[in-house]
């Protein structure tokens, strides 16, 4: 069986253990980058040092062969803008596949996000274009 792991990067030690063992190493890893690392403390709840966890996970996933990894970001207004895209792009490999998804403001775990209007198609495309200027493999899904 082929195994894919989706992670938010908040459990870097567990990710390191999975990747470090031939018996548990997934064939593919997708790392969700919610916003720039400097902002994770505002949203990470009980994780004591979310920036360190995220940096560790980015390093681990970045060390995988390009065909075995991808990075993903949902374009949530207020969490992801041009500044955050620039900061994230500085941390991931230049050969990364970086996929963006439009934000859908329905059924959010935090009900406050149900009231956040998503980016327009044009605004989303502008952000993805800015990302692609930094990471050529960036594109909208």
């Amino acid at each position: 069986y082929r195994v894919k792991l989706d992670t938010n990067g908040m459990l870097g030690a567990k990710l390191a253990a999975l990747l470090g063992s031939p018996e548990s190493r997934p064939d593919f890893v997708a790392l969700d980058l919610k916003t720039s690392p400097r902002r994770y403390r505002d949203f990470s709840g009980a994780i004591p040092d979310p920036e360190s966890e995220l940096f560790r996970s980015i390093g681990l996933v970045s060390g995988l062969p390009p065909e075995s990894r991808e990075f993903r970001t949902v374009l949530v207004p207020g969490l992801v803008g041009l500044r955050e895209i620039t900061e994230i792009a500085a941390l991931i490999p230049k050969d990364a596949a970086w996929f963006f998804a439009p934000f859908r403001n329905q059924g959010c775990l935090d009900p406050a996000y149900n009231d956040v209007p998503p980016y327009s198609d044009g605004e989303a495309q502008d952000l993805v274009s800015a990302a692609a200027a930094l990471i050529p493999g960036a594109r909208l899904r």
Side-chain angles (χ1 to χ4, degrees):
Y1 293 103
R2 300 213 26 107
V3 177
K4 176 185 176 217
L5 173 68
D6 294 276
T7 180
N8 66 9
M10 289 294 97
L11 299 174
K14 289 187 179 191
L15 180 59
L18 286 171
L19 294 175
S21 170
E23 294 81 29
S24 64
R25 183 179 305 122
D27 300 297
F28 192 89
V29 178
L31 177 57
D32 291 328
L33 300 168
K34 308 296 186 188
T35 188
S36 64
R38 68 180 167 77
R39 301 199 53 208
Y40 266 71
R41 189 169 301 280
D42 298 335
F43 307 103
S44 60
I47 305 294
D49 189 3
E51 296 99 330
S52 292
E53 291 293 329
L54 187 62
F55 287 135
R56 182 175 188 179
S57 294
I58 290 171
L60 290 164
V61 174
S62 295
L64 297 172
E67 66 276 4
S68 300
R69 59 167 156 80
E70 73 180 28
F71 299 87
R72 302 185 304 211
T73 301
V74 176
L75 294 171
V76 181
L79 288 181
V80 178
L82 185 57
R83 179 177 179 183
E84 289 77 19
I85 286 172
T86 301
E87 291 174 3
I88 293 168
L91 300 173
I92 64 175
K94 297 301 175 219
D95 67 350
W98 189 11
F99 294 102
F100 290 86
F103 171 64
R104 305 217 190 289
N105 60 349
Q106 299 171 344
C108 298
L109 289 176
D110 181 344
Y113 284 97
N114 292 332
D115 296 326
V116 174
Y119 286 118
S120 69
D121 290 346
E123 291 169 325
Q125 191 55 57
D126 287 347
L127 290 169
V128 174
S129 293
L134 302 166
I135 305 292
R139 61 184 181 267
L140 189 62
R141 266 198 179 143

